[in-house]
Amino acid sequence: MQPGPPTTLGLKLAGFLAAVRRDRERIGAESDRTLGLQFGGAVGTLASLGTVGDSVSAELARILDLAEPALPWHSHRDNLVAIVQLLGILTGTLAKFGKDVALLMQGEVGEASEGVGEARGGSSTMPHKRNPVASAALIAIHAKMPGLVTTMLNAMPQEHERGLGLWQAEWDTVPEAFCLGSASVAYAIEIAEGLTTNSARMQTNIDAALGLPLAEAVSTALAPKIGRVAAHRLLRNAVDQATKDNARLSDVLKHMPEVNMHLSDAEIDVLLDPHNYLGSAQRFIARVVGDEDALD
Amino acid sequence: MQPGPPTTLGLKLAGFLAAVRRDRERIGAESDRTLGLQFGGAVGTLASLGTVGDSVSAELARILDLAEPALPWHSHRDNLVAIVQLLGILTGTLAKFGKDVALLMQGEVGEASEGVGEARGGSSTMPHKRNPVASAALIAIHAKMPGLVTTMLNAMPQEHERGLGLWQAEWDTVPEAFCLGSASVAYAIEIAEGLTTNSARMQTNIDAALGLPLAEAVSTALAPKIGRVAAHRLLRNAVDQATKDNARLSDVLKHMPEVNMHLSDAEIDVLLDPHNYLGSAQRFIARVVGDEDALD
Amino acid sequence: MQPGPPTTLGLKLAGFLAAVRRDRERIGAESDRTLGLQFGGAVGTLASLGTVGDSVSAELARILDLAEPALPWHSHRDNLVAIVQLLGILTGTLAKFGKDVALLMQGEVGEASEGVGEARGGSSTMPHKRNPVASAALIAIHAKMPGLVTTMLNAMPQEHERGLGLWQAEWDTVPEAFCLGSASVAYAIEIAEGLTTNSARMQTNIDAALGLPLAEAVSTALAPKIGRVAAHRLLRNAVDQATKDNARLSDVLKHMPEVNMHLSDAEIDVLLDPHNYLGSAQRFIARVVGDEDALD
Amino acid sequence: MQPGPPTTLGLKLAGFLAAVRRDRERIGAESDRTLGLQFGGAVGTLASLGTVGDSVSAELARILDLAEPALPWHSHRDNLVAIVQLLGILTGTLAKFGKDVALLMQGEVGEASEGVGEARGGSSTMPHKRNPVASAALIAIHAKMPGLVTTMLNAMPQEHERGLGLWQAEWDTVPEAFCLGSASVAYAIEIAEGLTTNSARMQTNIDAALGLPLAEAVSTALAPKIGRVAAHRLLRNAVDQATKDNARLSDVLKHMPEVNMHLSDAEIDVLLDPHNYLGSAQRFIARVVGDEDALD
C-alpha cells in the first residue's frame, strides 16, 4: 500500500477542528431539549395535583432552571437517546484523532507523537517503549459507545405510560455515556496540547517513497497533452519500473522518451516536489481557522 | 400487575404527536449538514485541480444544490452518522406507537385496533385472527436500527485521509437506514389513518378493575386529613380486601370506619369516578395541538 | 388481535426448560476454552524466559488449574467474546420468560403472577399496584447485553501482538456481562419459585374469547369434507358474524346450514372445547421433563 | 511508539490458524442445533394434526435430514442467535487478519502484501497505488456484524408462542450474516493464498529501530546481576541516549561502564541479535501445526 499524494498536518488538524465544531454545535442544540423538566405523576396527568398540575409544573421548571415541555414525556425517551448518540459521535471524531496520532507514532513512521510525561506511557518490562496512552484511551472509549447507544435505542419502545424494564436499562447507561464522553474530551485535549511533530521524519518518509505518491501530479500534467488514459498508463508503467528497480520516479521518468517529448527534466522535478502538489490545502485551512491572512 | 390511574387516548396521542415533532425538528436541522458537498480528491487537497480547486468546488455545490462545507470531509463521517442516528430515534418513537397499539389490540384488552383492509392481516390457518400487521412492522424495523447505528459509529475512526474498510461498511447501511425510516413512517401513517377505538371496551376494562386504579385518588384526598403514610396504608388494606373478596373498592371503602369518618359515600363515588381523576390531561393536550379553545 | 389456539402453561414452561438447558450446555462447552491460560510476554514468544518459556507456561497452568492453550493468544479474543455472547443468549431466554410473565400479569389478563414479598413491588403513590419487579429486571438486563456483545465484537481486530485501545474496551465489559448474566439467573429463579397461577382466570379469558380461538379446530375438521379453502372461508364468515354480534362461535356455527350438513351440535361442542385441541402438548412436555408416565 | 520485541511471521500465522480452528470448532458444534426442525403449528401443539403431530414431526425431520428437537421452539430463538454470533466471531478473527496484513502493507512498513491481480486494487487516479482490497473487505464485513448480532439478540424476547414484530427482524438478518461470513472466509483465503512477504524489508525495519526493541533482552540478562529495577533503569537511560543521538543501542551500551562490568561487547551483540530473542516461538508454532520435527 503506497501512501496517497501529500497533504499537510495543518489540513489534517483543520479537518478535526471542523468536525469537533460540528459536534459541539449539535450537542449545544440538543442540550436545550435534554435539560427539560419531566414531571407528570404516574401516567402523565398530574392527577394527584388536581387542577393545579400544570401551574406546579411551570413553577418547578422555573426553580430548577429547566425548560418546560408541552407535556410530560416519561415514556418518550428521544431527548435522552439523542444526547447519548451525540456523545457517541463526539467520541467517534476523537477516536479518529487518537487513531491517526497512533498511526503517526508507529516506529516505522514517527512523524508525530503524544507528549510523554514522566509518569506515564512506559512499559513495565520493555525499557524502550513509549506508548500512545491517550490515543489508546480515545479508541477504547469509542469502542464502547455503540453499545451504550444500542441500549438507549433498545429502550425506546416503552409500554404505554410506564415501560416495563426498558426504562431501567437507561439508568447507568446515560451517566456512563457522559463519563466516557468527557473522558474522551480530556484525553483529546491532552494530546492536542502535548503533540510533538517531526518534520524531518516527514521529509525522510516522503523521500523513501521514491516520488511515487506524486505520480498523480505528472499524470495530471500529461493528460491534456496525451489523453487521460494514456497518461495514466504511462505513469503506471513508470511506477512499476521504479518499484521494480527501487529507483526514484523522477529518474525513471527522465529516461522515458514519451515523457521527455512533453516535459523537461526541470518540469519533472517541479511536478514531483511535494510542496507544489498541495492544491487548495492552505485555502481550506484558512476557511476553518478564519484567518484571512493565511490566504496567499 | 394492576393498571395505573386512568389517562385518555387523547393524552397518549398528544404524547406521540409531540415526540414526532421533536424527531422532525432534529432531522430537519441535521439535513442541512447532511446535504453537503464532499469533493476533495485523493487526500482532500484537490491538488489535481491546481489552484482552482476551491472555485470548482463552489461551482459544483451550486450546480448540485448542496451546501459547501469549509473543507473536504472524506474521512470525517459525523454528518452521515448523525442522520442515521436520527432515523433510529424516529423509528424508536414509532415502534412505541406500534407497541402501544398492539397492546391495546390484545384480545383481553381490545380498546383500539389497526384498521384492517381486505387483503391483509389474516392468518393462513386461523380464520378468526386479525393481526396487528403494521404495528409488528414498526417493532421489527426498530429492532434493526441499533444495528445500523452501531455500524455507522463503528465506521467513524477512519484512518488518515482515506480509511481502510470502515468506509465500505457504510455503503449499504445508509440507504438501508433511509428505507427502514421511511417504511416506518408509512406504517405509522397507515395505523394513524385507520385506527379504530372501542370506548365501550375501555369502560368495561375500567369497571373490571373494581376501582383499584383510582385508589391513589382516595389516598390523595385522605392524606391532608390523616397524613400521607396513614392514608397510603389505609388504601393498601382496602385494596387487599377488595382483591381478596373480588369486591369493588368503593364498597370496601364505604364499610371502613376510618374512611367514613372523613368521606361520605357520595364523596367516595366522586373520587372513584375515572373522569374526575384526569388532572391536567386536557391542558397538556391543548398545549400540543395548540387549540386554545380546548382550555375550558 | 385475537389470541391463537389454546396451549398449556406446562408446554410453555417446558419450552423455557429446554431453552435454558441449551443455554447451559453451550456455556459449559465454552467454559473449557474460557478458563484457559494466557501467558506469553510482550509479543507471545515468552522470550524473556529464554528456552524454558513453554515449561513455565505448563507449570503455571497446572498451578492455576487452567487449560493450557497451544500458544499465547493475547490479541486473539474469541474465547472471551464467545462467553459474553452466550451470556447474552442466556439473558435473552430469561427476558422472554420475564416478558411472558409480565404479559400474563397484566390486569386485563391476570393468569399468572410473580410472587410478591412484603418488601417489594409496591408503588410509593399507588396503593393498589403490584409490579412485576423481577420480570422488569429480566427485560432491563437483556436490553443491555447487545451493547456489551457489540463492545466485545468491536474489540476483536486488535493490532498485531498487542492492540491499541480495543483491548482496554473489554476491561469492564466482561465483568459487567457476568454480573448481568448472574443477576438474570437470580431473578428468573425468584420468579420460578414464587410463580402463582390463576386457572379460573384462564378459563374466564378463554370463555370471553367466545370460542374464536378454536375456529381452526372446526376448520380442520371440515377441510376433508368440503375442501381446505372452503372450510377456511366458512369459518372466516362465522368468526366475522360472531364478532359482529358478540355471539359465541358455537351458536353461530350451529345455525349455519353448510356446517350442520357435516357436523352435529355435539360434534361442534367437542371441537370447540379447548381441552380437545391441545394436540401433542403432553407428549412434548414429557419429552422435555423425561417423564414417560406423562405419556397418555 | 517503538515496536515490541521481535516475533516471527510464523508465530503470527500460527496464532491465526489456532483462532480459525477454534471458530470452526464452535460453528461445527452449534450447527447440529441450528439444523433442527421447527414444526409446531400456530402455538407449538400441532393441534391441527390431532394425535399424530409428533409422528408427523419425526417423519418430516427424517425427510429433511434435520435434527428433531424435544419440542417446537418457534418463539425461542437461541439456536439462530448462537450461529449468527459465531459468524460474528469468525469475521472478527478474520478482520484482525486483514488489519494486520494492511498494517504490514503500509508504505513505511512494507513487510508483507496481499497478492495483487491484474484487475483489482488499483486506483482510478493514482497510478502508483496498490490497495489492500481484500483486507479492507475483511474489516468492512466485521464492522457490520455487531449490528447483525445486536438485531438477533434484540429479537429474542418474543411474546408468548408467536412474537410481534421481533421475529420479522430476523428475516434478512440471518441470511445477511451468512453472506458476510462466507464472504469473509473467501477474502481471507484469497489473502492467504496470495500473500507475499519481504524479509529484506523486515531486516531493514529492525535495523532502523537501532536495536531498541531488544532492550528487554539486555535488561533481562542484567537483572540477575544488578537487580531488576536497576537493570530496567539502566536500559531506560541507554534507550533515551540512543534515541537522542540517533545511535545504535549496542554502541551506547558498549560505552556504559555499568554494562561493561557485566557484559562483553560480544555478549551485547548476541543479546541484541533478534534471532536470539524469539523464546518459545518455534515450539508454539510446532504445537499448532502439529509438526513434531519442527521442534529444534
Side-chain angles (χ1 to χ4, degrees):
Chain A
M1 180 167 50
Q2 291 293 342
T7 184
T8 71
L9 187 63
L11 185 58
K12 183 186 276 282
L13 294 177
F16 282 111
L17 180 54
V20 166
R21 275 189 196 147
R22 289 190 299 270
D23 296 343
R24 191 170 56 183
E25 211 176 290
R26 285 187 193 98
I27 291 174
E30 189 60 40
S31 295
D32 297 338
R33 269 186 292 254
T34 307
L35 299 172
L37 181 72
Q38 155 51 26
F39 179 64
V43 293
T45 59
L46 285 175
S48 66
L49 295 176
T51 57
V52 298
D54 57 345
S55 312
V56 174
S57 178
E59 182 64 8
L60 187 59
R62 200 189 57 73
I63 293 170
L64 296 173
D65 194 20
L66 292 172
E68 198 202 356
L71 80 180
W73 48 272
H74 190 291
S75 55
H76 287 281
R77 316 301 289 178
D78 53 289
N79 290 346
L80 287 170
V81 181
I83 198 74
V84 170
Q85 285 186 336
L86 293 181
L87 293 168
I89 291 185
L90 175 64
T91 66
T93 296
L94 299 180
K96 174 179 167 48
F97 185 46
K99 201 183 222 181
D100 280 0
V101 169
L103 287 169
L104 292 174
M105 278 180 80
Q106 290 174 102
E108 297 89 344
V109 181
E111 301 188 1
S113 177
E114 289 187 20
V116 184
E118 277 303 304
R120 344 202 330 220
S123 159
S124 57
T125 65
M126 291 175 284
H128 73 288
K129 293 276 285 181
R130 296 272 187 294
N131 292 319
V133 176
S135 297
L138 291 177
I139 292 168
I141 286 169
H142 180 61
K144 301 188 69 174
M145 293 300 288
L148 300 184
V149 169
T150 291
T151 300
M152 293 303 292
L153 283 170
N154 280 355
M156 283 193 76
Q158 301 191 1
E159 292 84 359
H160 289 323
E161 279 62 47
R162 194 155 291 237
L164 184 75
L166 294 179
W167 183 39
Q168 287 87 335
E170 298 171 354
W171 289 354
D172 52 1
T173 304
V174 174
E176 188 176 355
F178 274 95
C179 289
L180 289 176
S182 76
S184 183
V185 171
Y187 280 116
I189 289 173
E190 183 184 318
I191 295 177
E193 292 183 344
L195 194 71
T196 62
T197 57
N198 187 335
S199 52
R201 193 67 188 272
M202 294 178 193
Q203 189 63 54
T204 309
N205 288 336
I206 286 188
D207 292 345
L210 301 169
L212 304 186
L214 276 303
E216 189 190 53
V218 184
S219 175
T220 302
L222 284 174
K225 299 173 181 173
I226 63 174
R228 193 176 166 284
V229 172
H232 190 276
R233 193 182 313 117
L234 194 63
L235 267 293
R236 185 73 188 231
N237 292 339
V239 163
D240 288 346
Q241 189 69 33
T243 307
K244 190 161 137 270
D245 301 347
N246 199 31
R248 301 193 58 79
L249 182 60
S250 58
D251 294 336
V252 173
L253 289 170
K254 289 172 186 173
H255 287 86
M256 293 176 86
E258 308 94 314
V259 177
N260 290 340
M261 238 180 299
H262 304 287
L263 297 172
S264 70
D265 283 10
E267 283 171 325
I268 292 173
D269 286 336
V270 167
L271 286 169
L272 291 178
D273 181 342
H275 298 91
N276 297 330
Y277 201 64
L278 294 172
S280 304
Q282 282 308 104
R283 284 171 196 274
F284 290 145
I285 296 172
R287 283 196 203 170
V288 175
V289 300
D291 176 1
E292 294 303 320
D293 297 338
L295 287 165
D296 338 282
Chain B
M1 179 167 51
Q2 291 293 342
T7 184
T8 70
L9 186 64
L11 185 59
K12 183 186 276 284
L13 293 176
F16 282 111
L17 180 54
V20 166
R21 276 190 195 148
R22 289 191 299 270
D23 296 343
R24 191 171 55 182
E25 211 176 289
R26 285 187 194 97
I27 290 174
E30 190 60 41
S31 296
D32 296 339
R33 269 187 291 257
T34 307
L35 298 172
L37 181 72
Q38 156 53 25
F39 179 63
V43 293
T45 59
L46 284 175
S48 65
L49 293 177
T51 56
V52 298
D54 57 346
S55 312
V56 173
S57 178
E59 182 64 8
L60 187 58
R62 200 188 58 74
I63 293 171
L64 297 173
D65 194 20
L66 293 172
E68 198 203 356
L71 82 179
W73 49 271
H74 190 289
S75 55
H76 289 280
R77 316 301 289 178
D78 52 288
N79 290 346
L80 287 171
V81 181
I83 198 75
V84 171
Q85 285 186 334
L86 293 181
L87 292 169
I89 291 184
L90 175 64
T91 65
T93 296
L94 300 180
K96 174 180 168 47
F97 185 47
K99 202 183 219 182
D100 281 0
V101 168
L103 287 168
L104 292 174
M105 278 179 80
Q106 290 174 102
E108 296 89 343
V109 181
E111 300 189 0
S113 177
E114 289 186 20
V116 183
E118 279 303 302
R120 345 204 327 222
S123 158
S124 57
T125 65
M126 292 174 284
H128 73 289
K129 293 275 285 183
R130 295 274 187 292
N131 291 319
V133 177
S135 297
L138 290 177
I139 292 168
I141 285 169
H142 180 61
K144 300 188 68 173
M145 293 300 287
L148 300 184
V149 169
T150 291
T151 300
M152 293 303 292
L153 283 169
N154 280 356
M156 283 193 76
Q158 301 191 0
E159 291 84 359
H160 290 323
E161 279 62 47
R162 192 154 293 233
L164 185 75
L166 294 179
W167 183 39
Q168 288 86 336
E170 299 171 353
W171 288 354
D172 52 1
T173 304
V174 173
E176 188 177 356
F178 274 95
C179 289
L180 289 175
S182 75
S184 184
V185 170
Y187 281 116
I189 290 173
E190 182 184 319
I191 296 177
E193 292 183 343
L195 194 71
T196 61
T197 57
N198 187 336
S199 52
R201 193 67 187 273
M202 295 178 192
Q203 189 63 54
T204 309
N205 288 336
I206 285 188
D207 292 345
L210 302 169
L212 303 186
L214 275 303
E216 188 191 53
V218 183
S219 175
T220 301
L222 284 174
K225 299 173 180 172
I226 63 174
R228 194 177 166 283
V229 173
H232 190 274
R233 194 183 313 117
L234 194 64
L235 266 294
R236 185 73 186 233
N237 291 339
V239 163
D240 288 346
Q241 189 70 33
T243 306
K244 191 161 137 268
D245 301 347
N246 199 30
R248 301 192 58 79
L249 182 60
S250 59
D251 294 335
V252 173
L253 288 171
K254 288 172 185 172
H255 288 87
M256 292 177 87
E258 309 94 312
V259 176
N260 290 340
M261 237 180 299
H262 304 287
L263 297 172
S264 70
D265 283 10
E267 284 171 325
I268 291 173
D269 286 336
V270 167
L271 286 169
L272 290 179
D273 181 342
H275 298 91
N276 298 330
Y277 201 63
L278 293 171
S280 304
Q282 281 308 106
R283 284 172 196 275
F284 289 145
I285 295 171
R287 283 196 202 172
V288 175
V289 300
D291 177 1
E292 294 304 318
D293 296 339
L295 286 165
D296 323 289
Chain C
M1 178 166 52
Q2 291 292 343
T7 184
T8 71
L9 187 65
L11 185 60
K12 183 186 276 281
L13 294 176
F16 281 111
L17 180 54
V20 167
R21 276 189 194 148
R22 289 191 298 270
D23 295 342
R24 191 170 57 184
E25 212 176 289
R26 285 188 194 96
I27 290 174
E30 190 60 39
S31 295
D32 297 338
R33 268 187 292 255
T34 307
L35 299 172
L37 182 71
Q38 155 52 26
F39 180 64
V43 293
T45 58
L46 284 175
S48 66
L49 294 177
T51 57
V52 298
D54 58 345
S55 313
V56 173
S57 177
E59 182 64 8
L60 186 59
R62 200 189 56 74
I63 293 170
L64 296 173
D65 194 21
L66 293 172
E68 199 202 356
L71 82 178
W73 49 272
H74 189 289
S75 54
H76 288 280
R77 315 301 289 177
D78 53 288
N79 290 346
L80 286 171
V81 181
I83 198 75
V84 170
Q85 285 186 334
L86 294 181
L87 292 169
I89 292 184
L90 175 63
T91 65
T93 297
L94 300 179
K96 175 180 166 47
F97 185 46
K99 202 183 219 181
D100 280 0
V101 168
L103 287 169
L104 293 173
M105 278 179 80
Q106 289 173 105
E108 296 89 343
V109 181
E111 301 189 1
S113 178
E114 289 186 21
V116 184
E118 278 304 304
R120 339 203 336 221
S123 159
S124 57
T125 64
M126 293 175 283
H128 73 288
K129 293 274 287 180
R130 296 272 188 294
N131 292 320
V133 176
S135 296
L138 290 177
I139 291 168
I141 286 169
H142 180 61
K144 300 187 68 172
M145 294 299 287
L148 301 183
V149 168
T150 291
T151 300
M152 294 301 292
L153 282 169
N154 279 355
M156 284 194 76
Q158 302 191 359
E159 292 84 358
H160 289 322
E161 280 61 48
R162 193 155 291 237
L164 184 75
L166 294 179
W167 183 38
Q168 286 86 335
E170 299 171 353
W171 289 353
D172 52 1
T173 304
V174 173
E176 188 176 356
F178 274 94
C179 289
L180 289 176
S182 76
S184 183
V185 170
Y187 279 116
I189 290 173
E190 182 184 316
I191 295 176
E193 290 183 345
L195 194 71
T196 62
T197 56
N198 187 335
S199 51
R201 192 68 188 273
M202 295 177 194
Q203 189 64 53
T204 308
N205 288 336
I206 286 188
D207 291 346
L210 301 168
L212 305 187
L214 275 303
E216 188 191 54
V218 184
S219 175
T220 302
L222 285 174
K225 298 172 182 172
I226 64 173
R228 194 177 166 283
V229 172
H232 190 273
R233 195 182 313 117
L234 194 63
L235 266 293
R236 185 72 188 234
N237 291 338
V239 163
D240 288 345
Q241 189 69 34
T243 305
K244 191 160 137 268
D245 301 346
N246 199 31
R248 301 192 58 78
L249 182 60
S250 58
D251 294 336
V252 173
L253 289 170
K254 288 172 185 173
H255 287 87
M256 292 175 86
E258 309 94 312
V259 177
N260 289 341
M261 241 182 296
H262 303 288
L263 296 172
S264 70
D265 283 10
E267 283 171 326
I268 290 173
D269 285 338
V270 167
L271 285 169
L272 290 179
D273 181 343
H275 298 91
N276 297 331
Y277 200 64
L278 293 171
S280 304
Q282 281 308 104
R283 284 173 197 274
F284 288 145
I285 296 170
R287 283 196 202 172
V288 175
V289 300
D291 176 2
E292 294 304 321
D293 296 339
L295 289 166
D296 31 67
Chain D
M1 179 167 51
Q2 291 293 342
T7 183
T8 70
L9 187 65
L11 185 59
K12 183 185 277 280
L13 294 177
F16 281 111
L17 180 54
V20 166
R21 276 190 195 147
R22 290 191 298 271
D23 296 343
R24 191 170 56 183
E25 211 176 291
R26 286 187 193 97
I27 291 173
E30 189 61 40
S31 296
D32 297 339
R33 268 186 292 255
T34 307
L35 299 172
L37 182 71
Q38 156 52 25
F39 180 62
V43 293
T45 58
L46 285 175
S48 66
L49 294 177
T51 57
V52 298
D54 58 345
S55 313
V56 173
S57 178
E59 181 64 7
L60 187 59
R62 201 189 56 73
I63 292 171
L64 296 173
D65 193 20
L66 293 172
E68 199 203 356
L71 81 180
W73 48 271
H74 190 289
S75 55
H76 289 279
R77 315 300 290 177
D78 52 289
N79 291 346
L80 286 171
V81 181
I83 198 74
V84 171
Q85 285 186 333
L86 293 181
L87 292 169
I89 292 185
L90 175 63
T91 65
T93 296
L94 299 180
K96 175 181 167 46
F97 185 47
K99 202 184 220 181
D100 281 0
V101 169
L103 287 168
L104 292 174
M105 278 180 81
Q106 288 173 104
E108 297 89 343
V109 181
E111 300 188 2
S113 177
E114 289 186 18
V116 183
E118 278 304 303
R120 340 201 336 218
S123 158
S124 56
T125 64
M126 293 175 282
H128 73 289
K129 292 276 286 182
R130 296 274 188 291
N131 292 317
V133 177
S135 297
L138 291 176
I139 291 168
I141 286 169
H142 180 61
K144 300 187 69 173
M145 294 300 287
L148 301 184
V149 168
T150 291
T151 301
M152 293 302 293
L153 283 169
N154 280 355
M156 284 193 77
Q158 302 191 358
E159 293 84 358
H160 289 323
E161 279 62 47
R162 194 154 291 234
L164 184 76
L166 294 179
W167 183 39
Q168 288 86 335
E170 299 171 353
W171 288 354
D172 52 1
T173 304
V174 173
E176 188 176 356
F178 274 94
C179 288
L180 289 175
S182 75
S184 183
V185 170
Y187 280 116
I189 289 172
E190 182 184 319
I191 295 176
E193 291 182 346
L195 194 71
T196 61
T197 57
N198 186 337
S199 52
R201 192 68 187 271
M202 294 178 193
Q203 190 63 53
T204 308
N205 287 336
I206 286 188
D207 292 345
L210 302 169
L212 304 186
L214 276 302
E216 188 191 54
V218 184
S219 176
T220 302
L222 284 174
K225 299 174 180 171
I226 64 174
R228 193 176 166 283
V229 172
H232 191 273
R233 194 182 314 117
L234 194 63
L235 265 294
R236 185 72 187 234
N237 292 338
V239 163
D240 287 346
Q241 190 70 35
T243 306
K244 191 161 136 268
D245 301 348
N246 199 30
R248 301 192 58 80
L249 182 60
S250 59
D251 294 335
V252 173
L253 289 170
K254 287 172 186 172
H255 287 87
M256 293 175 86
E258 309 94 313
V259 177
N260 290 340
M261 239 181 297
H262 303 287
L263 296 172
S264 71
D265 283 9
E267 284 171 322
I268 291 173
D269 286 337
V270 167
L271 286 168
L272 291 179
D273 181 344
H275 298 92
N276 297 331
Y277 200 64
L278 294 171
S280 303
Q282 281 309 105
R283 284 172 197 274
F284 289 145
I285 295 171
R287 283 196 202 171
V288 175
V289 300
D291 176 3
E292 293 304 319
D293 296 338
L295 288 165
D296 349 274

